[in-house]
Amino acid sequence: MNHYPHTAAMMQRGTDFLGCETAILCGAMSWVSERNLVAAISNAGGFGVIACGAMTPELLDTEIAATKALTTKPFGVNLITMHPALFDLIAVCRKHGVTHVVLAGGIPPKGSVEAIKGSGKDGGDTKVICFAPTLALAKKLLRSGADAMVIEGMEAGGHIGPVSTSVLAQEILPELASEHLIFVAGGIGRGEAIASYLEMGAAGVQLGTRFACATESIAHPDFKKAFFRASAREAVASVQVDPRLPVIPVRALKNKGTEEFTAKQREVAALLDAGSVDMGEAQLQIEHFWAGALRRAVIDGDVENGSVMAGQSVGMVKSEEPAADIIAELMTQCEAALAR
Ligand SMILES: Cc1cc2nc3c(=O)[nH]c(=O)nc-3n(C[C@H](O)[C@H](O)[C@H](O)COP(=O)(O)O)c2cc1C
């Protein structure tokens, strides 16, 4: 960190909170953020986060144990709030003494933040990080016990909100960043962008797309090749075809799978019309579609029919590099910008 004095000073609050050397999180990516990438990021001084996704509590248990075998550095676990076994997953995290839990996928259900933080008599001091799509919700989540926030703009890969990172940062950082820990995500490809968010008060940043093709990432070689070839404009947001069926948009590389999603929505909308599913079930079917499609691309390498989730920064991903080199490059660029 001696090479990066300005950056280290600006990241201090973030690194103190995360317990690592650089306040750069590798956001959880379903199927991609497993033991190998998570440990590589944390070993390189960043903060890796396991993507629990649709894993069962048993699978999460195994994944955490395997990650611990590969790193002694801190890492987090990302849990999706609508997972039917959320509280069992929280129990698994507590069993392993996971220090940071990231809650994604909507407003945390009642009692979940308390359960993570261990407000019971055997309580630990696990930190809870939540996503805030608006200033009002950020304030509410911080009041209800969240220790830090990630604000993520629509440039990001995977499930996205409607607002860009630059606007969210301007709306939220001046209001909250002096008193709270806010990490900025979405569309960050270079260290200069990190420098600008740190200057606006961010405690650190979260990147996904830039890390998806790290050497240590188990993503299929064809998934990685699709990233290297793609430009920003090919990472497009999915469209909602039926106004009655609100689907959270997903940013992924345009392919046959993107078109299949349109057909899937029509199919689910027809089931809604026929009364054979309710809205909750309809949305769950949509989420299952994404999980399956992402697996097909990441694990099987079917980049035509699967979902190649990627953010707009994909154009800046050119080759496979070790996680440590990506972090060093980002830090060098950030330091040069801050020194200027
Ligand atoms: C392939 C892929 C899968 C992702 N899966 C998840 C996920 O399971 N849970 C989650 O909270 N975020 C997920 N994300 C979002 C990332 O954690 C991260 O916030 C995002 O990639 C940051 O924006 P960037 O892609 O512009 O760097 C995913 C992103 C990608 C590219």
Side-chain angles (χ1 to χ4, degrees):
M1 285 304 284
N2 289 340
H3 304 308
Y4 316 113
H6 298 86
T7 310
M10 304 277 281
M11 285 183 169
Q12 184 80 48
R13 289 188 314 147
T15 50
D16 286 350
F17 171 74
L18 296 168
C20 58
E21 281 169 48
T22 73
I24 299 179
L25 295 103
C26 172
M29 294 175 276
S30 290
W31 302 109
V32 181
S33 298
E34 48 71 81
R35 61 193 78 173
N36 293 290
L37 182 62
V38 174
I41 296 281
S42 289
N43 286 334
F47 193 82
V49 181
I50 295 176
C52 175
M55 276 184 204
T56 60
E58 293 71 32
L59 281 176
L60 181 64
D61 193 7
T62 308
E63 206 53 45
I64 296 174
T67 307
K68 278 176 154 178
L70 296 175
T71 184
T72 53
K73 301 279 176 70
F75 61 87
V77 174
N78 176 301
L79 303 177
I80 310 284
T81 52
M82 57 220 177
H83 195 299
L86 179 65
F87 284 86
D88 297 331
L89 297 168
I90 292 173
V92 171
C93 292
R94 291 198 51 186
K95 182 186 109 179
H96 282 283
V98 169
T99 53
H100 298 71
V101 171
V102 185
L103 281 178
I107 299 169
K110 206 169 182 307
S112 56
V113 172
E114 292 82 351
I116 295 167
K117 291 174 77 108
S119 50
K121 45 185 183 316
D122 59 339
D125 58 354
T126 305
K127 304 282 187 250
V128 182
I129 305 170
C130 293
F131 283 88
T134 63
L135 176 61
L137 199 58
K139 287 182 175 167
K140 185 172 183 290
L141 290 166
L142 288 164
R143 271 199 310 273
S144 1
D147 298 291
M149 286 288 143
V150 176
I151 56 172
E152 184 180 67
M154 48 89 84
E155 297 93 321
H159 291 74
I160 54 171
V163 182
S164 69
T165 307
S166 63
V167 170
L168 277 180
Q170 293 172 77
E171 284 184 350
I172 295 178
L173 292 175
E175 283 270 339
L176 296 180
S178 56
E179 280 181 43
H180 300 283
L181 294 156
I182 316 287
F183 295 87
V184 176
I188 299 176
R190 292 183 53 100
E192 291 86 348
I194 299 177
S196 72
Y197 292 126
L198 290 175
E199 283 183 324
M200 290 174 74
V205 291
Q206 168 164 306
L207 285 72
T209 299
R210 269 298 254 123
F211 288 122
C213 298
T215 312
E216 299 88 347
S217 152
I218 59 146
H220 193 281
D222 290 345
F223 182 91
K224 293 185 179 180
K225 261 189 228 148
F227 264 56
F228 304 149
R229 288 193 190 123
S231 64
R233 62 174 57 206
E234 286 160 82
V236 295
S238 61
V239 280
Q240 180 178 336
V241 293
D242 192 309
R244 291 158 311 154
L245 182 63
V247 294
I248 304 166
V250 165
R251 187 176 299 285
L253 298 184
K254 211 167 161 184
N255 63 5
K256 256 192 240 150
T258 325
E259 285 161 35
E260 255 170 51
F261 178 56
T262 308
K264 178 73 192 175
Q265 285 184 73
R266 291 214 177 88
E267 179 195 316
V268 175
L271 293 176
L272 261 180
D273 280 342
S276 44
V277 297
D278 63 13
M279 187 57 85
E281 171 59 22
Q283 280 169 326
L284 216 56
Q285 285 203 17
I286 298 283
E287 288 316 309
H288 283 154
F289 171 88
W290 283 124
L294 181 60
R295 186 185 191 287
R296 221 160 140 182
V298 174
I299 305 295
D300 306 338
D302 183 356
V303 295
E304 259 317 295
N305 303 296
S307 173
V308 189
M309 291 185 190
Q312 293 183 336
S313 62
V314 71
M316 288 177 255
V317 184
K318 295 286 174 221
S319 61
E320 204 176 53
E321 291 172 279
D325 290 5
I326 300 173
I327 291 179
E329 185 185 28
L330 293 168
M331 290 294 282
T332 304
Q333 292 164 343
C334 180
E335 183 64 19
L338 291 176
R340 280 199 291 272

